[in-house]
């Protein structure tokens, strides 16, 4: 049996007073910035992997905490 482990990375507004948050914050608290996945076999050995950055549309500036945790610049 094989398994797929999915990891999603999200950005958030740098300020709740920002124009971006004021325009979409009630509907969009976070915005996806990366999708990652690994396929592992029954011994939990990695068989394949996938990683894709996603360009944010609303929260363009990366929150400093998110940049520190994810190492995305």
């Amino acid at each position: 049996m094989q398994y797929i482990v999915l990891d999603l990375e999200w950005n958030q507004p740098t300020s709740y007073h920002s124009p971006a948050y004021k325009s979409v914050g009630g509907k969009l608290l976070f915005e996806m910035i990366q999708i990652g996945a690994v396929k592992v076999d029954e011994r939990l050995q990695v068989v394949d992997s996938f990683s894709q950055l996603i360009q944010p549309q609303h929260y363009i500036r990366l929150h400093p905490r998110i940049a520190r945790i994810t190492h995305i610049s």
Side-chain angles (χ1 to χ4, degrees), residues 32-72:
M32 193 180 309
I33 56 171
Q34 184 180 28
I35 300 173
V38 293
K39 182 195 275 188
V40 295
D41 61 17
E42 57 277 346
R43 293 173 288 142
L44 301 181
Q45 301 296 315
V46 175
V47 175
D48 200 3
S49 64
F50 171 82
S51 178
Q52 180 66 52
L53 290 173
I54 301 170
Q55 184 169 347
Q57 300 298 307
H58 298 284
Y59 303 136
I60 306 295
R61 292 191 59 205
L62 200 57
H63 191 284
R65 183 177 54 194
I66 302 301
R68 187 176 64 248
I69 292 170
T70 64
H71 303 287
I72 296 173

Side-chain angles (χ1 to χ4, degrees), residues 8-23:
L8 304 175
E9 301 296 343
W10 302 83
N11 192 21
Q12 64 188 52
T14 54
S15 168
Y16 293 107
H17 302 290
S18 69
Y21 181 78
K22 288 180 180 180
S23 68

